[in-house]
Amino acid sequence: MSDSESTSNPALPPSTVSVVAPPSPISRILKRAFDVTCSFLGLLVLLPAGLVIALIMKISDPGPIFYRQRRVGQFGQEFEILKFRTMVVGADKLGPSVTQDRDPRITLLGRLLRKTKLDELPQLWNVLCGSMSFVGPRPEVPRYVAHYTPEQRQLLNYKPGITDLATLVFRNEEALLKGASDVEAFYIQHCIPRKFHLNMQYAKRANLLEDVFIIAETIFPYWVTVMGGYLLALSFSWWMAYQLRYDFAVPAHEIDSIWRLGLVVVPCELLLLCWRKQFVGLLSYFELQEVKQLVIGLGVGGLIQLGVWMASGGSLMPARSIIILNVMLALTTIGGARLALRMMRERKSVRPRQAEPGSVLKVGVVGADEMGLWLVRQFNVRNLGGRRVEALFDDNPDKWRKVLKGVQVVGMPECILDGSWTSKLDEIIIAMPTATPERVEQIRSLLISANMRCRIVPSIDELIGRWLH
């Protein structure tokens, strides 16, 4: 269930997850020792931040600081979960139990807390007391658990957690639910089964090392990891530029310049790359457009450094050769690393599958407008390309559950995350030429997170050239 502030929930649909063995005694002991140690230290370190949040909340909103709700824990025992309150008082009476992006019931401070996951901090107390763990299936309300199937009840062998695999995949759940006409029904029908599948994946390989990885991914989202990688690459290029300039014998008086100027130049280069949106995509998708943006960002940085060098007579910047070397090395290091990641991705699984002789690839098409229906005609009517469109997905709710050209429009693109479609479809084609780049990138990211092969079709002309000739 989404951690919305309500207790009124309809029944769950049946699930088909497999039975897993409960954790071993040794595994439980190690996990508990880790939880007690880290939660105690976390409460001590984060107490000042918690007090500041509580103070701001009390000043801005007269309601209670904490949100409490009964949840079902390990072996079916109920407990009271703690969170910082992020919604207005009585939110459960003002709307559905799950929230969409920009839900008016969420307070201004609550949006910030949800965005940064700081609303989860009080659950460190739940972890310390033993009702929760750092990593484990998110606890559900009793009314949900009452409708669990016998397979789903196997999850109760595991202590619920603050985070889990489902939390990572559905990190932007509110944005995912934004286009649903019936938010709660969509969440139950399409999100709940996927979350159970992810929880069972964790249960089958649960161990302390896996927990550490999940915690790290929760604290450091993908864009933070990307930024860290760029920071290392830029720092290495700056250091190497000095080494090459002085043939790996940097004079003593220049050592101070490496650190002093590097603390200014490297962060500025990082900001310029952020300006060119280098942290919003996936590193392994390195196309001509990404190369162009990388060149612009680092090139502007180099020009700024040269301009400062000229204006100051060389007193505020290193030698021109170092500036030029730094830009070239940064381009080579970052570009080379991303190109290598792209080659690895294509070599493994991202290349579009080709149908074997006599077989047909099952395709899902995102976009039920002219382009999507053109694909249906080519694949299903003319039998071209060795593919067959099995389902359509579209953002327009007027088309949901309708049949177009003999193919049903299942629902919004996020419906593909339903476990049944991830196993049925061999390939997803995104055919939304009129959609915003942000929406297309969002859908592509969701598909990649679900390990599904996908391609983006920008125009019918490209379709003809790529598949039919």
Side-chain angles (χ1 to χ4, degrees), residues 368-435:
D369 290 320
E370 180 182 355
M371 173 127 3
L373 298 181
W374 184 87
L375 286 171
V376 173
R377 289 194 297 271
Q378 303 307 313
F379 295 152
N380 294 15
V381 178
R382 299 183 181 180
N383 297 318
L384 299 176
R387 290 167 171 80
R388 178 172 181 81
V389 178
E390 297 289 330
L392 290 166
F393 304 87
D394 198 273
D395 278 329
N396 186 350
D398 293 335
K399 297 180 180 180
W400 294 352
R401 316 308 299 175
K402 302 295 192 301
V403 176
L404 304 177
K405 300 292 183 181
V407 180
Q408 187 180 57
V409 182
V410 176
M412 64 188 299
E414 284 79 4
C415 293
I416 302 173
L417 294 177
D418 184 348
S420 61
W421 287 112
T422 58
S423 59
K424 287 179 182 178
L425 301 176
D426 298 310
E427 186 180 55
I428 303 295
I429 300 174
I430 303 175
M432 305 173 68
T434 60

Side-chain angles (χ1 to χ4, degrees), residues 131-321:
S131 56
M132 291 181 67
S133 177
F134 273 103
V135 180
R138 288 296 292 171
E140 300 285 5
V141 296
R143 291 189 61 179
Y144 264 86
V145 177
H147 295 280
Y148 276 10
T149 66
E151 292 84 3
Q152 291 170 345
R153 284 189 169 273
Q154 296 298 312
L155 288 178
L156 299 181
N157 288 327
Y158 291 83
K159 188 174 293 186
I162 296 177
T163 185
D164 60 356
L165 287 177
T167 301
L168 299 178
V169 173
F170 288 84
R171 187 187 293 272
N172 299 314
E173 181 176 276
E174 291 181 359
L176 182 150
L177 295 171
K178 183 178 180 180
S181 57
D182 188 334
V183 181
E184 193 165 60
F186 178 82
Y187 177 81
I188 293 170
Q189 184 177 0
H190 299 291
C191 297
I192 287 288
R194 177 62 176 169
K195 287 187 175 183
F196 272 115
H197 175 69
L198 292 168
N199 284 331
M200 296 308 295
Q201 282 185 354
Y202 164 77
K204 290 176 182 178
R205 61 175 189 265
N207 57 69
L208 190 56
L209 184 60
E210 180 76 13
D211 286 0
V212 173
F213 282 134
I214 292 176
I215 293 171
E217 288 186 72
T218 302
I219 297 174
F220 303 106
Y222 181 77
W223 69 269
V224 175
T225 305
V226 173
M227 183 174 288
Y230 273 90
L231 180 60
L232 289 175
L234 293 172
S235 300
F236 170 78
S237 301
W238 179 254
W239 175 82
M240 184 59 71
Y242 274 85
Q243 299 300 322
L244 293 176
R245 169 64 176 80
Y246 293 104
D247 198 20
F248 292 90
V250 181
H253 67 276
E254 289 284 3
I255 298 296
D256 177 65
S257 297
I258 296 179
W259 294 100
R260 178 171 50 83
L261 296 178
L263 290 175
V264 176
V265 173
V266 172
C268 288
E269 290 178 329
L270 202 62
L271 286 174
L272 287 169
L273 291 179
C274 183
W275 166 55
R276 303 316 301 173
K277 299 182 179 181
Q278 289 295 291
F279 306 130
V280 298
L282 295 170
L283 289 178
S284 59
Y285 284 80
F286 194 50
E287 308 292 343
L288 184 60
Q289 182 63 24
E290 281 73 28
V291 175
K292 177 182 176 181
Q293 298 303 324
L294 182 63
V295 171
I296 291 175
L298 293 176
V300 169
L303 290 175
I304 291 174
Q305 293 175 57
L306 289 173
V308 173
W309 179 87
M310 293 178 63
S312 64
S315 61
L316 297 180
M317 279 289 145
R320 288 172 296 178
S321 58

Side-chain angles (χ1 to χ4, degrees), residues 27-153:
S27 176
R28 289 199 297 267
I29 292 173
L30 290 175
K31 188 179 182 72
R32 181 58 185 154
F34 175 84
D35 287 342
V36 170
T37 303
C38 294
S39 61
F40 179 74
L41 294 176
L43 286 169
L44 286 179
V45 173
L46 297 172
L47 179 60
L51 291 175
V52 171
I53 292 173
L55 179 61
I56 296 175
M57 185 179 297
K58 207 62 182 176
I59 294 174
S60 62
D61 192 331
I65 294 173
F66 296 107
Y67 164 67
R68 296 176 171 85
Q69 186 183 52
R70 300 296 295 178
R71 298 289 179 95
V72 179
Q74 192 174 27
F75 308 129
Q77 297 179 354
E78 293 187 14
F79 70 99
E80 192 173 67
I81 194 172
L82 287 175
K83 296 177 61 177
F84 282 123
R85 182 173 58 85
T86 60
M87 301 179 74
V88 298
V89 178
D92 56 321
K93 300 176 182 179
L94 302 175
S97 60
V98 289
T99 55
Q100 293 174 295
D101 191 27
R102 299 182 181 178
D103 193 309
R105 296 173 297 165
I106 303 175
T107 64
L108 183 61
L109 177 60
R111 294 186 190 282
L112 177 62
L113 294 178
R114 288 190 174 207
K115 187 75 173 178
T116 58
K117 303 300 181 184
L118 290 175
D119 60 321
E120 311 284 355
L121 284 183
Q123 290 172 43
L124 290 174
W125 179 254
N126 290 117
V127 175
L128 184 62
C129 294
S131 56
M132 291 181 67
S133 177
F134 273 103
V135 180
R138 288 296 292 171
E140 300 285 5
V141 296
R143 291 189 61 179
Y144 264 86
V145 177
H147 295 280
Y148 276 10
T149 66
E151 292 84 3
Q152 291 170 345
R153 284 189 169 273

Side-chain angles (χ1 to χ4, degrees), residues 332-344:
T332 303
T333 303
I334 296 175
R338 293 194 61 175
L339 183 60
L341 289 173
R342 172 182 171 174
M343 294 174 65
M344 291 172 59

